[in-house]
Amino acid sequence: HIARLQDGQMESFSEYLAQATVQAKGKLDPDLVDYLVRSYGTEYPQLKQRITAEGSGVELSRDASEVLRALTLQAVHEEMAVRLTDVILRRTSLGSAGKPEASILQTCAEVMGKALGWGEVQKLGEIDAVETVYQNLGIR
């Protein structure tokens, strides 16, 4: 008996990924589809819908602002993220390769602020909290 992980209810990962790639052609870059399917499993269609709703009609890559906004909203609405550190360090891989650029932190804070009713002071505090984590790790 094989126990499946939550969000991993698929018969064949490779078939699921291939089908997702074909269905997203022209909307999402194949590397982005691969990342999303590997990271979100069967939650991928919901995330794809968020991204394409944000999208501008061009094929989106992993670093597109529409993708960043959708990942942040997914973390807030589906994964109980309430702090910017939750999104950057725990719910996404945005901070796994080092400190994200200031523009990424700003975009995520703006999206979270709108979703959670933050004012400017809280947004700045949340960005500062992420930067402090990296400073404490010796990463500038």
Side-chain angles (χ1 to χ4, degrees):
H1 173 48
I2 296 174
R4 295 186 192 269
L5 296 174
Q6 181 178 348
D7 303 330
Q9 305 87 357
M10 60 187 78
E11 292 301 314
S12 166
F13 176 80
S14 58
E15 288 178 22
Y16 187 85
L17 177 59
Q19 182 180 10
T21 302
V22 168
Q23 290 175 346
K25 188 173 176 96
K27 295 177 184 170
L28 304 178
D29 179 84
D31 289 339
L32 173 59
V33 174
D34 183 82
Y35 163 73
L36 293 173
V37 170
R38 288 181 191 280
S39 298
Y40 293 92
T42 56
E43 294 296 312
Y44 161 76
Q46 178 182 5
L47 194 52
K48 178 186 169 204
Q49 185 175 2
R50 276 189 200 278
I51 292 169
T52 55
E54 293 274 338
S56 58
V58 299
E59 186 174 86
L60 299 172
S61 66
R62 192 168 169 177
D63 59 351
S65 62
E66 294 90 346
V67 174
L68 189 58
R69 287 193 301 268
L71 291 175
T72 303
L73 287 172
Q74 180 79 8
V76 169
H77 294 299
E78 304 301 327
E79 300 173 14
M80 299 186 291
V82 294
R83 305 283 316 268
L84 186 58
T85 53
D86 293 335
V87 172
I88 301 298
L89 301 169
R90 295 177 195 87
R91 305 303 193 280
T92 69
S93 63
L94 292 171
S96 63
K99 181 181 166 190
E101 295 178 23
S103 62
I104 291 173
L105 296 178
Q106 182 66 39
T107 298
C108 291
E110 289 291 330
V111 171
M112 289 187 80
K114 187 173 181 181
L116 299 173
W118 294 348
E120 284 302 311
V121 171
Q122 177 146 8
K123 285 186 259 185
L124 293 173
E126 293 292 327
I127 291 170
D128 187 53
V130 171
E131 291 175 345
T132 298
V133 168
Y134 286 101
Q135 287 173 357
N136 290 341
L137 293 171
I139 301 169
R140 304 249 175 229

